[in-house]
Amino acid sequence: MNENSHSFHEKELRDGQVESVSAGSSPPCDTDSSALLAFRGISISELKNHSILQALTAEANGWEPGVVSTEVLQAQEEWEAVDSIHPETGSRASMDQPGQLISFSEALQHFQTVDLSSFKKRIQPTIRRTGLAALRHYLFGPPKLHHGLREERDLVLTIAQCGLDSQDPMHGRVLQTIYKKLTGSKFDCALHGDHWEDLGFQGTNPATDLRGAGFLALLHLLYLVMDSKTLLMAREILRLSRHHIQQFPFCLMSVNITRIAIQALREECLSRECNRQQKVIPVVNSFYAATFLRLAHVWRTQHKTISDSGFVLKDLEMSAKKSPRRLLKTLEIYLAGVSKGQASLLGTQKCSGPQAPHSKDLTFTGVCDLPSHSSEGTWLI
């Protein structure tokens, strides 16, 4: 802003008059009323660029405050947040706290309170075993899930039957939260668009990639990004997924990890740990995170590429269901290291190089694309 303009505004402020920025100038009046008239009709997002406000906030003759109070810092943050407010496109705006992040517990509570009876009819809580498989499971298999935990188990499997509904405000908030947390963006995004391919969905609509896992796949991603320690892990895995040689579709891989967790729950591989903790949902969440961590470790250290995805997932499923407690212990050690600032999944590995292609350009084989190796059950949920 030049000196003449600065002097002009100073003169107007001394006179206690501010001219209206509208097409017609308003008559002179007291300072408060003229200021209101000056800014009436100006959108919030444009206020920061208004010349008068720039003059008021500009440094005068190099003056700087000696001490900035916490109130000033808070006000500055709120003012800068104005830039992050913009309309949603391509979706129905949420009427329930629009633009607000949603926690895992809040999203879960939604499913605990709505009527899911039509979805619950579809679930098969445990796999069907017959003949020798049933006898072997009875003699040497894991223990039965305690009766008091079966309702919680059924809720997990029921959520896996629910699809993504872009017209449901809660569903939209879950997607927005996942996007913002993974990318660090302050802005809302459209519920359909190429930006979902950038995060590792195969198309512009995340709903089309939830086969076999349903909304539980999105809840698992939400669980991953809403805790500071697992968020660091998620971002490291996302960075690995964008490696110019070892790239893979991050979100689609996560959906496959959720499928493995569902199958482990149905085969009662998690029953011992659920009985020990007297909880189901936290155990399933931790198992999902631990399995994803294990996959990333194998992928990085064994230099896997997208062509190995089906075989990696198959081996991962077998080892995870065989030793879930060992897998969970690995996650505990990793997260303890994160708390101390000592754990890094990728270490010094650099993920630089040419930009990885969109997930739609990758040939990805998931667990649902492989023939079942288990003789004890099917892939029905």
Side-chain angles (χ1 to χ4, degrees):
M1 180 177 295
N2 57 41
E3 294 181 359
N4 292 335
S5 176
H6 197 175
S7 300
F8 170 76
H9 290 299
E10 287 180 345
K11 181 178 183 303
E12 288 206 331
L13 290 173
R14 285 196 302 269
D15 295 339
Q17 297 179 348
V18 180
E19 290 187 1
S20 172
V21 296
S22 58
S25 300
S26 60
C29 57
D30 61 78
T31 304
D32 291 338
S33 349
S34 61
L36 289 174
L37 290 172
F39 299 125
R40 182 176 296 168
I42 303 178
S43 64
I44 292 178
S45 60
E46 294 176 356
L47 282 178
K48 290 178 69 175
N49 299 322
H50 196 272
S51 59
I52 294 177
L53 290 181
Q54 289 176 350
L56 290 172
T57 56
E59 292 180 0
N61 299 323
W63 176 84
E64 294 183 4
V67 178
V68 181
S69 68
T70 55
E71 290 82 2
V72 172
L73 291 175
Q74 182 178 0
Q76 182 179 0
E77 290 176 358
E78 292 175 353
W79 180 249
E80 291 175 349
V82 169
D83 280 342
S84 67
I85 303 175
H86 67 98
E88 258 187 319
T89 57
S91 66
R92 171 184 167 185
S94 172
M95 303 303 291
D96 178 22
Q97 295 180 297
Q100 295 294 317
L101 301 181
I102 186 170
S103 66
F104 176 85
S105 58
E106 184 181 352
L108 178 63
Q109 186 178 20
H110 170 82
F111 285 102
Q112 291 172 327
T113 55
V114 298
D115 181 15
L116 300 176
S117 55
S118 60
F119 298 102
K120 191 173 182 179
K121 294 176 182 178
R122 306 177 191 174
I123 70 171
Q124 184 184 330
T126 58
I127 64 171
R128 300 186 183 97
R129 298 179 176 88
T130 58
L132 291 176
L135 179 61
R136 183 170 64 251
H137 181 78
Y138 176 78
L139 294 175
F140 308 108
K144 294 283 186 182
L145 186 68
H146 290 170
H147 190 272
L149 298 175
R150 292 177 186 177
E151 184 177 350
E152 189 177 352
R153 173 202 61 192
D154 292 352
L155 175 62
V156 172
L157 298 177
T158 301
I159 295 173
Q161 289 291 336
C162 300
L164 170 63
D165 181 3
S166 60
Q167 300 302 311
D168 188 320
M170 187 281 295
H171 290 209
R173 288 178 63 201
V174 169
L175 278 179
Q176 297 286 1
T177 301
I178 292 170
Y179 178 81
K180 289 179 180 179
K181 283 290 188 176
L182 285 176
T183 64
S185 173
K186 295 181 180 179
F187 302 113
D188 283 347
C189 64
L191 300 187
H192 299 163
D194 293 342
H195 48 282
W196 294 113
E197 294 180 350
D198 294 338
L199 287 184
F201 285 103
Q202 285 193 308
T204 59
N205 181 7
T208 61
D209 286 335
L210 304 182
R211 179 170 60 99
F215 204 86
L216 184 64
L218 296 179
L219 280 189
H220 276 166
L221 276 171
L222 182 66
Y223 161 77
L224 209 61
V225 303
M226 287 306 287
D227 181 275
S228 58
K229 292 178 290 187
T230 51
L231 174 60
L232 176 62
M233 183 185 88
R235 286 178 173 172
E236 285 199 291
I237 298 176
L238 179 62
R239 185 156 62 97
L240 174 63
S241 76
R242 292 172 171 173
H243 190 274
H244 63 289
I245 297 175
Q246 293 185 270
Q247 73 268 15
F248 59 85
F250 173 83
C251 285
L252 192 59
M253 189 69 83
S254 173
V255 172
N256 277 268
I257 301 299
T258 296
R259 291 171 182 162
I260 292 175
I262 291 169
Q263 193 68 1
L265 181 63
R266 291 185 61 245
E267 291 185 15
E268 301 176 286
C269 301
L270 304 180
S271 294
R272 179 175 281 107
E273 191 63 24
C274 290
N275 292 342
R276 189 180 72 84
Q277 296 190 26
Q278 285 298 297
K279 298 175 182 177
V280 174
I281 292 175
V283 171
V284 174
N285 288 347
S286 296
F287 180 82
Y288 154 81
T291 305
F292 210 169
L293 177 65
R294 175 62 183 168
L295 177 135
H297 175 75
V298 169
W299 200 273
R300 180 182 70 85
T301 58
Q302 298 183 18
H303 308 289
K304 299 297 184 181
T305 64
I306 193 65
S307 61
D308 303 311
S309 58
F311 303 103
V312 171
L313 285 168
K314 183 177 179 179
D315 291 342
L316 181 66
E317 180 193 356
M318 293 179 66
S319 62
K321 291 192 296 187
K322 183 178 180 180
S323 305
R325 180 57 190 155
R326 182 182 303 172
L327 200 64
L328 293 172
K329 188 64 178 178
T330 302
L331 177 67
E332 291 175 12
I333 295 172
Y334 171 81
L335 295 181
V338 170
S339 299
K340 299 176 182 178
Q342 299 172 349
S344 177
L345 177 64
L346 302 182
T348 58
Q349 175 176 344
K350 301 297 182 181
C351 292
S352 59
Q355 172 135 13
H358 284 313
S359 58
K360 66 181 180 181
D361 300 320
L362 302 175
T363 303
F364 181 83
T365 304
V367 291
C368 282
D369 302 312
L370 293 171
S372 176
H373 58 270
S374 172
S375 61
E376 297 183 351
T378 65
W379 278 102
L380 295 175
I381 299 177

PDB file of all heavy atoms in Angstrom, residues 3 16 32 40 49 81 134 149 165 173-174 202-203 273 275 284-285 303 305 308 339 347 364-365 373 375:
ATOM      1  N   GLU A   3       2.182   5.386   0.194  1.00  0.00           N
ATOM      2  CA  GLU A   3       2.072   6.341   1.287  1.00  0.00           C
ATOM      3  C   GLU A   3       0.832   7.201   1.158  1.00  0.00           C
ATOM      4  O   GLU A   3       0.191   7.557   2.136  1.00  0.00           O
ATOM      5  CB  GLU A   3       3.327   7.209   1.324  1.00  0.00           C
ATOM      6  CG  GLU A   3       4.600   6.424   1.677  1.00  0.00           C
ATOM      7  CD  GLU A   3       5.803   7.330   1.714  1.00  0.00           C
ATOM      8  OE1 GLU A   3       5.626   8.542   1.449  1.00  0.00           O
ATOM      9  OE2 GLU A   3       6.889   6.850   2.023  1.00  0.00           O
ATOM     10  N   GLY A  16     -13.148  10.487  11.781  1.00  0.00           N
ATOM     11  CA  GLY A  16     -14.223   9.630  12.282  1.00  0.00           C
ATOM     12  C   GLY A  16     -15.203   9.228  11.209  1.00  0.00           C
ATOM     13  O   GLY A  16     -16.346   8.919  11.499  1.00  0.00           O
ATOM     14  N   ASP A  32     -19.064   4.185  14.297  1.00  0.00           N
ATOM     15  CA  ASP A  32     -19.616   2.833  14.369  1.00  0.00           C
ATOM     16  C   ASP A  32     -20.589   2.566  13.243  1.00  0.00           C
ATOM     17  O   ASP A  32     -20.555   1.561  12.567  1.00  0.00           O
ATOM     18  CB  ASP A  32     -20.308   2.618  15.723  1.00  0.00           C
ATOM     19  CG  ASP A  32     -19.294   2.582  16.853  1.00  0.00           C
ATOM     20  OD1 ASP A  32     -18.115   2.297  16.571  1.00  0.00           O
ATOM     21  OD2 ASP A  32     -19.684   2.835  17.998  1.00  0.00           O
ATOM     22  N   ARG A  40     -21.200  -3.717   5.094  1.00  0.00           N
ATOM     23  CA  ARG A  40     -22.452  -4.425   4.833  1.00  0.00           C
ATOM     24  C   ARG A  40     -22.459  -4.923   3.392  1.00  0.00           C
ATOM     25  O   ARG A  40     -22.144  -4.212   2.461  1.00  0.00           O
ATOM     26  CB  ARG A  40     -23.633  -3.495   5.073  1.00  0.00           C
ATOM     27  CG  ARG A  40     -24.983  -4.172   4.878  1.00  0.00           C
ATOM     28  CD  ARG A  40     -26.105  -3.228   5.227  1.00  0.00           C
ATOM     29  NE  ARG A  40     -26.064  -2.861   6.643  1.00  0.00           N
ATOM     30  CZ  ARG A  40     -26.786  -1.889   7.162  1.00  0.00           C
ATOM     31  NH1 ARG A  40     -27.601  -1.172   6.412  1.00  0.00           N
ATOM     32  NH2 ARG A  40     -26.694  -1.620   8.455  1.00  0.00           N
ATOM     33  N   ASN A  49      -9.236  -9.070   2.269  1.00  0.00           N
ATOM     34  CA  ASN A  49      -8.606  -8.379   1.155  1.00  0.00           C
ATOM     35  C   ASN A  49      -9.059  -6.919   1.045  1.00  0.00           C
ATOM     36  O   ASN A  49      -8.665  -6.210   0.132  1.00  0.00           O
ATOM     37  CB  ASN A  49      -8.923  -9.107  -0.156  1.00  0.00           C
ATOM     38  CG  ASN A  49      -8.388 -10.518  -0.156  1.00  0.00           C
ATOM     39  OD1 ASN A  49      -7.305 -10.751   0.371  1.00  0.00           O
ATOM     40  ND2 ASN A  49      -9.128 -11.439  -0.748  1.00  0.00           N
ATOM     41  N   ALA A  81      -8.574 -18.723   9.791  1.00  0.00           N
ATOM     42  CA  ALA A  81      -9.457 -19.841   9.469  1.00  0.00           C
ATOM     43  C   ALA A  81     -10.558 -19.445   8.507  1.00  0.00           C
ATOM     44  O   ALA A  81     -11.224 -20.301   7.926  1.00  0.00           O
ATOM     45  CB  ALA A  81     -10.081 -20.409  10.746  1.00  0.00           C
ATOM     46  N   ALA A 134     -14.957 -79.438  11.509  1.00  0.00           N
ATOM     47  CA  ALA A 134     -15.690 -79.091  12.727  1.00  0.00           C
ATOM     48  C   ALA A 134     -15.082 -79.783  13.948  1.00  0.00           C
ATOM     49  O   ALA A 134     -14.942 -79.178  15.015  1.00  0.00           O
ATOM     50  CB  ALA A 134     -17.160 -79.474  12.582  1.00  0.00           C
ATOM     51  N   LEU A 149     -20.407 -60.939  24.719  1.00  0.00           N
ATOM     52  CA  LEU A 149     -19.702 -60.148  23.706  1.00  0.00           C
ATOM     53  C   LEU A 149     -20.267 -60.359  22.304  1.00  0.00           C
ATOM     54  O   LEU A 149     -19.837 -59.698  21.360  1.00  0.00           O
ATOM     55  CB  LEU A 149     -18.208 -60.507  23.702  1.00  0.00           C
ATOM     56  CG  LEU A 149     -17.440 -60.236  24.995  1.00  0.00           C
ATOM     57  CD1 LEU A 149     -16.004 -60.746  24.880  1.00  0.00           C
ATOM     58  CD2 LEU A 149     -17.444 -58.739  25.332  1.00  0.00           C
ATOM     59  N   ASP A 165     -23.564 -44.030   2.150  1.00  0.00           N
ATOM     60  CA  ASP A 165     -24.695 -43.237   1.681  1.00  0.00           C
ATOM     61  C   ASP A 165     -24.278 -41.767   1.663  1.00  0.00           C
ATOM     62  O   ASP A 165     -24.160 -41.131   2.710  1.00  0.00           O
ATOM     63  CB  ASP A 165     -25.905 -43.440   2.596  1.00  0.00           C
ATOM     64  CG  ASP A 165     -27.122 -42.651   2.153  1.00  0.00           C
ATOM     65  OD1 ASP A 165     -27.051 -41.993   1.094  1.00  0.00           O
ATOM     66  OD2 ASP A 165     -28.146 -42.677   2.866  1.00  0.00           O
ATOM     67  N   ARG A 173     -19.332 -36.717   6.832  1.00  0.00           N
ATOM     68  CA  ARG A 173     -18.342 -36.232   7.800  1.00  0.00           C
ATOM     69  C   ARG A 173     -17.208 -37.231   7.982  1.00  0.00           C
ATOM     70  O   ARG A 173     -16.044 -36.838   8.173  1.00  0.00           O
ATOM     71  CB  ARG A 173     -19.015 -35.940   9.137  1.00  0.00           C
ATOM     72  CG  ARG A 173     -19.911 -34.700   9.135  1.00  0.00           C
ATOM     73  CD  ARG A 173     -20.575 -34.515  10.488  1.00  0.00           C
ATOM     74  NE  ARG A 173     -19.597 -34.291  11.543  1.00  0.00           N
ATOM     75  CZ  ARG A 173     -19.833 -34.496  12.828  1.00  0.00           C
ATOM     76  NH1 ARG A 173     -21.027 -34.963  13.219  1.00  0.00           N
ATOM     77  NH2 ARG A 173     -18.904 -34.260  13.730  1.00  0.00           N
ATOM     78  N   VAL A 174     -17.516 -38.516   7.935  1.00  0.00           N
ATOM     79  CA  VAL A 174     -16.465 -39.530   8.045  1.00  0.00           C
ATOM     80  C   VAL A 174     -15.494 -39.396   6.875  1.00  0.00           C
ATOM     81  O   VAL A 174     -14.263 -39.392   7.059  1.00  0.00           O
ATOM     82  CB  VAL A 174     -17.074 -40.948   8.095  1.00  0.00           C
ATOM     83  CG1 VAL A 174     -15.980 -42.008   7.940  1.00  0.00           C
ATOM     84  CG2 VAL A 174     -17.818 -41.165   9.416  1.00  0.00           C
ATOM     85  N   GLN A 202      -9.957 -46.728  -6.247  1.00  0.00           N
ATOM     86  CA  GLN A 202      -9.803 -47.024  -7.666  1.00  0.00           C
ATOM     87  C   GLN A 202     -10.649 -46.131  -8.553  1.00  0.00           C
ATOM     88  O   GLN A 202     -10.431 -46.077  -9.755  1.00  0.00           O
ATOM     89  CB  GLN A 202     -10.129 -48.494  -7.938  1.00  0.00           C
ATOM     90  CG  GLN A 202      -9.024 -49.434  -7.479  1.00  0.00           C
ATOM     91  CD  GLN A 202      -9.196 -50.840  -8.018  1.00  0.00           C
ATOM     92  OE1 GLN A 202     -10.259 -51.422  -7.879  1.00  0.00           O
ATOM     93  NE2 GLN A 202      -8.155 -51.383  -8.621  1.00  0.00           N
ATOM     94  N   GLY A 203     -11.609 -45.446  -7.966  1.00  0.00           N
ATOM     95  CA  GLY A 203     -12.455 -44.567  -8.755  1.00  0.00           C
ATOM     96  C   GLY A 203     -12.707 -43.263  -8.029  1.00  0.00           C
ATOM     97  O   GLY A 203     -12.155 -42.994  -6.958  1.00  0.00           O
ATOM     98  N   GLU A 273      -8.533 -63.151  22.524  1.00  0.00           N
ATOM     99  CA  GLU A 273      -8.151 -61.790  22.896  1.00  0.00           C
ATOM    100  C   GLU A 273      -9.372 -60.952  23.288  1.00  0.00           C
ATOM    101  O   GLU A 273      -9.308 -60.155  24.229  1.00  0.00           O
ATOM    102  CB  GLU A 273      -7.404 -61.122  21.733  1.00  0.00           C
ATOM    103  CG  GLU A 273      -6.735 -59.809  22.088  1.00  0.00           C
ATOM    104  CD  GLU A 273      -5.646 -59.969  23.143  1.00  0.00           C
ATOM    105  OE1 GLU A 273      -5.075 -61.072  23.284  1.00  0.00           O
ATOM    106  OE2 GLU A 273      -5.372 -58.969  23.842  1.00  0.00           O
ATOM    107  N   ASN A 275     -12.119 -62.142  24.643  1.00  0.00           N
ATOM    108  CA  ASN A 275     -12.507 -62.626  25.970  1.00  0.00           C
ATOM    109  C   ASN A 275     -11.585 -62.057  27.050  1.00  0.00           C
ATOM    110  O   ASN A 275     -12.026 -61.721  28.154  1.00  0.00           O
ATOM    111  CB  ASN A 275     -12.469 -64.148  26.012  1.00  0.00           C
ATOM    112  CG  ASN A 275     -13.555 -64.779  25.145  1.00  0.00           C
ATOM    113  OD1 ASN A 275     -14.537 -64.120  24.781  1.00  0.00           O
ATOM    114  ND2 ASN A 275     -13.378 -66.049  24.800  1.00  0.00           N
ATOM    115  N   VAL A 284     -10.759 -55.643  17.403  1.00  0.00           N
ATOM    116  CA  VAL A 284     -10.825 -55.677  15.939  1.00  0.00           C
ATOM    117  C   VAL A 284     -10.094 -54.472  15.352  1.00  0.00           C
ATOM    118  O   VAL A 284      -9.352 -54.596  14.363  1.00  0.00           O
ATOM    119  CB  VAL A 284     -12.287 -55.717  15.459  1.00  0.00           C
ATOM    120  CG1 VAL A 284     -12.363 -55.596  13.941  1.00  0.00           C
ATOM    121  CG2 VAL A 284     -12.963 -57.006  15.912  1.00  0.00           C
ATOM    122  N   ASN A 285     -10.270 -53.302  15.965  1.00  0.00           N
ATOM    123  CA  ASN A 285      -9.569 -52.101  15.484  1.00  0.00           C
ATOM    124  C   ASN A 285      -8.052 -52.268  15.574  1.00  0.00           C
ATOM    125  O   ASN A 285      -7.313 -51.939  14.634  1.00  0.00           O
ATOM    126  CB  ASN A 285      -9.995 -50.882  16.309  1.00  0.00           C
ATOM    127  CG  ASN A 285     -11.405 -50.428  15.998  1.00  0.00           C
ATOM    128  OD1 ASN A 285     -12.008 -50.852  15.009  1.00  0.00           O
ATOM    129  ND2 ASN A 285     -11.944 -49.574  16.846  1.00  0.00           N
ATOM    130  N   HIS A 303      10.687 -55.301  -0.610  1.00  0.00           N
ATOM    131  CA  HIS A 303      10.639 -54.609  -1.910  1.00  0.00           C
ATOM    132  C   HIS A 303       9.509 -55.117  -2.797  1.00  0.00           C
ATOM    133  O   HIS A 303       9.701 -55.392  -3.982  1.00  0.00           O
ATOM    134  CB  HIS A 303      11.985 -54.748  -2.628  1.00  0.00           C
ATOM    135  CG  HIS A 303      13.155 -54.336  -1.792  1.00  0.00           C
ATOM    136  ND1 HIS A 303      13.427 -53.023  -1.464  1.00  0.00           N
ATOM    137  CD2 HIS A 303      14.119 -55.081  -1.170  1.00  0.00           C
ATOM    138  CE1 HIS A 303      14.499 -52.964  -0.705  1.00  0.00           C
ATOM    139  NE2 HIS A 303      14.940 -54.198  -0.501  1.00  0.00           N
ATOM    140  N   THR A 305       5.984 -55.016  -4.965  1.00  0.00           N
ATOM    141  CA  THR A 305       5.355 -54.095  -5.900  1.00  0.00           C
ATOM    142  C   THR A 305       3.898 -54.509  -6.074  1.00  0.00           C
ATOM    143  O   THR A 305       3.450 -55.522  -5.523  1.00  0.00           O
ATOM    144  CB  THR A 305       6.059 -54.100  -7.264  1.00  0.00           C
ATOM    145  OG1 THR A 305       5.927 -55.404  -7.864  1.00  0.00           O
ATOM    146  CG2 THR A 305       7.537 -53.768  -7.125  1.00  0.00           C
ATOM    147  N   ASP A 308       2.697 -58.005  -6.669  1.00  0.00           N
ATOM    148  CA  ASP A 308       2.767 -58.981  -5.573  1.00  0.00           C
ATOM    149  C   ASP A 308       1.582 -58.889  -4.621  1.00  0.00           C
ATOM    150  O   ASP A 308       1.494 -59.672  -3.667  1.00  0.00           O
ATOM    151  CB  ASP A 308       4.054 -58.762  -4.751  1.00  0.00           C
ATOM    152  CG  ASP A 308       5.308 -58.849  -5.584  1.00  0.00           C
ATOM    153  OD1 ASP A 308       5.440 -59.822  -6.354  1.00  0.00           O
ATOM    154  OD2 ASP A 308       6.162 -57.946  -5.475  1.00  0.00           O
ATOM    155  N   SER A 339       5.375 -42.796  20.665  1.00  0.00           N
ATOM    156  CA  SER A 339       5.185 -41.892  21.805  1.00  0.00           C
ATOM    157  C   SER A 339       6.503 -41.280  22.262  1.00  0.00           C
ATOM    158  O   SER A 339       6.546 -40.148  22.737  1.00  0.00           O
ATOM    159  CB  SER A 339       4.533 -42.645  22.969  1.00  0.00           C
ATOM    160  OG  SER A 339       3.264 -43.139  22.612  1.00  0.00           O
ATOM    161  N   GLY A 347      11.798 -45.363   8.186  1.00  0.00           N
ATOM    162  CA  GLY A 347      13.195 -45.075   8.474  1.00  0.00           C
ATOM    163  C   GLY A 347      13.700 -43.938   7.609  1.00  0.00           C
ATOM    164  O   GLY A 347      13.064 -42.894   7.469  1.00  0.00           O
ATOM    165  N   PHE A 364      -4.434 -54.279  -9.316  1.00  0.00           N
ATOM    166  CA  PHE A 364      -4.397 -54.652  -7.908  1.00  0.00           C
ATOM    167  C   PHE A 364      -5.222 -55.907  -7.679  1.00  0.00           C
ATOM    168  O   PHE A 364      -6.367 -55.995  -8.121  1.00  0.00           O
ATOM    169  CB  PHE A 364      -4.943 -53.513  -7.050  1.00  0.00           C
ATOM    170  CG  PHE A 364      -4.928 -53.799  -5.572  1.00  0.00           C
ATOM    171  CD1 PHE A 364      -3.788 -53.599  -4.821  1.00  0.00           C
ATOM    172  CD2 PHE A 364      -6.068 -54.277  -4.935  1.00  0.00           C
ATOM    173  CE1 PHE A 364      -3.775 -53.852  -3.463  1.00  0.00           C
ATOM    174  CE2 PHE A 364      -6.065 -54.530  -3.578  1.00  0.00           C
ATOM    175  CZ  PHE A 364      -4.909 -54.322  -2.852  1.00  0.00           C
ATOM    176  N   THR A 365      -4.632 -56.876  -6.983  1.00  0.00           N
ATOM    177  CA  THR A 365      -5.347 -58.097  -6.631  1.00  0.00           C
ATOM    178  C   THR A 365      -5.608 -58.095  -5.138  1.00  0.00           C
ATOM    179  O   THR A 365      -4.675 -58.069  -4.335  1.00  0.00           O
ATOM    180  CB  THR A 365      -4.514 -59.336  -7.005  1.00  0.00           C
ATOM    181  OG1 THR A 365      -4.192 -59.281  -8.402  1.00  0.00           O
ATOM    182  CG2 THR A 365      -5.302 -60.607  -6.721  1.00  0.00           C
ATOM    183  N   HIS A 373      -8.282 -70.149   0.356  1.00  0.00           N
ATOM    184  CA  HIS A 373      -7.331 -71.219   0.689  1.00  0.00           C
ATOM    185  C   HIS A 373      -7.815 -72.023   1.878  1.00  0.00           C
ATOM    186  O   HIS A 373      -7.215 -73.008   2.240  1.00  0.00           O
ATOM    187  CB  HIS A 373      -5.959 -70.604   1.010  1.00  0.00           C
ATOM    188  CG  HIS A 373      -6.024 -69.613   2.136  1.00  0.00           C
ATOM    189  ND1 HIS A 373      -6.249 -68.271   1.928  1.00  0.00           N
ATOM    190  CD2 HIS A 373      -5.933 -69.804   3.476  1.00  0.00           C
ATOM    191  CE1 HIS A 373      -6.254 -67.642   3.104  1.00  0.00           C
ATOM    192  NE2 HIS A 373      -6.079 -68.552   4.056  1.00  0.00           N
ATOM    193  N   SER A 375     -10.324 -74.362   3.954  1.00  0.00           N
ATOM    194  CA  SER A 375     -11.325 -75.404   3.729  1.00  0.00           C
ATOM    195  C   SER A 375     -12.429 -75.345   4.773  1.00  0.00           C
ATOM    196  O   SER A 375     -13.324 -76.146   4.787  1.00  0.00           O
ATOM    197  CB  SER A 375     -10.661 -76.788   3.782  1.00  0.00           C
ATOM    198  OG  SER A 375     -10.083 -76.982   5.055  1.00  0.00           O
TER     199      SER A 375
END
